[in-house]
Amino acid sequence: MNIHEYQAKELLKKAGIPVHAFRVISRKEDIDHAMDSLGVTEAVIKVQVHAGGRGKAGGVKIGKTRAEIKHKAEALLGMKLVTKQTGPEGIICHQVMIAELAEIAKEYYLGVVIDREHAKPLLMVSPEGGMEIEEVAERNPNAILKVYLGLDGHIHDADLEKVIHFMKWSGKTAELGKSFVKTICKMFVENDGNMLEINPLIEDPEGKLWALDAKFAIDDNALFRHPHIAAMYDPSQGSPQEAIAHGMELAYIALEGNIGCMVNGAGLAMATMDLIKYHGGSPANFLDVGGGADKEKVAKSFSLILSDHNVKAILVNIFGGIMRCDVIAEGIIAAAKELHLKVPLVVRLEGTNVEEGKKLLKHSGLKIISADDLTDAAKKVVKEVK
Ligand code: GDP
Ligand code: MN
C-alpha cells in the first residue's frame, strides 16, 4: 500500500529523521490558519498524490509571500496531476502540503527496497539526488552505491562508513549522516516497508541533513500489525474498482483492456492474462479471488468486474482444489442471474467435482460458454469481443 508524502514524513519524524515542519490542508479556508500555525511567510506548496515526478508536472511550488503561498495553494487544491506514473487520466489532488521552505546546499538520493532475489532489504544511495533514480542508473550506474542490510534492518559499520564516504559527508554532516542512514534502515523494516525513497535527501547550508521528500510503500500482508498505517489508506488514489476490492480483500488491479478476468490463484491469473494477450485480446483487470473463495466472493467479484464499463466479456478460470467446482458453478449462476449479466461469459473449470460443475452451468438456462482448457477459454473469450 502506498501512503502520501505527509504520512511518510509523520512516520519518519516519529523515528527521529529531520523533516521540515508542515501542515496539510484539504480546504481553501484552512490556508491562512496553516500559515499562521507554521509561522512562515515563505513556504513550499506540494500536491499530495500517490505519484512521483510532481515537481516536473507543476505540483510543487514555492511561495515567497503570504499572498503568493495562498494563491498557489488554492491553485493546487483540486488540480489534476498528470505524470509519467499516473498515466493520461491523472490523479486529482485532494490535499496540499504547506511546508517550511528548505534552503538546499546539495541534493542526494536514498532508497530502501526489498531485493527479492537476495531476500534482503537493500539500501541504495547516490550523491546525485533530486532527479529520477532510473535516469541516474541509466546514465551513470557508478553514481549509485548498493548495500545489503540485515533482515532486522541493521547496517554493518563497514558498510555505513562506505555510504558516508560515497556521499562525501565529513565532520558534523558525517555524524548526522550515520544516524540518518541507520534510523531509516531500521524504520523501514519496523514498518514492514516494500519501498522507501527519500529523493531528495538534502544538506542545508549549515551541513544538516533533512528528508525533503518521502515515498513509502508498505507490504499489504503486514498491515494488520500496523493499524495506524492501515488507516492511512486513501481510496481516492486508485481506481474505484481497486477501492471496492480493498474493502473485500480481493487482489484486484485495473488494466486497460476489455476482457474481465476472474481467476483463483495469482499464478493462474497471470497465466490467464498472458494467454488472452497471446490470442490477441486485452485483459481489463487482474483479479485473484483466492484459494478459498466462496459463493459470496464469486458474486462480489462479478459485480466488481462489471462496474468497469470497458468490460465486453468475462473469462472465469477456476481450478477447484480447495474449492469444489460445483460450488463455484452455483456461485457463478447466482451472480449472473442477480446481476442480469449481459456480456458474454466464458467459463473454464477444472478440478474437484468438475463434471457436476459443468452440468450445473449447462442446465442453468444462462448463456454460458464452456471451455475445456486454458487455450480454448482464451480463444473463445477473445472471439466474443472481436
Ligand atoms: P517530486 O517531484 O514529486 O519528487 O517532489 P519533491 O518533493 O522531490 O520536489 C521536487 C523538487 O522541488 C525537489 O527536488 C527540490 O529541488 C524542489 N523543492 C522541494 N521542496 C523544496 C524546498 O523546501 N526548498 C527548495 N528550495 N526547493 C524545494
Ligand atoms: Mn522527489
Side-chain angles (χ1 to χ4, degrees), residues 44 46 52-55 60 62 100-102 104 107 130 199-200 212-213:
V44 59
K46 301 163 118 181
R54 294 166 303 168
V60 177
I62 287 173
E100 263 176 12
L101 187 65
I104 305 177
E107 295 188 313
N199 190 23
L212 200 72
D213 187 11

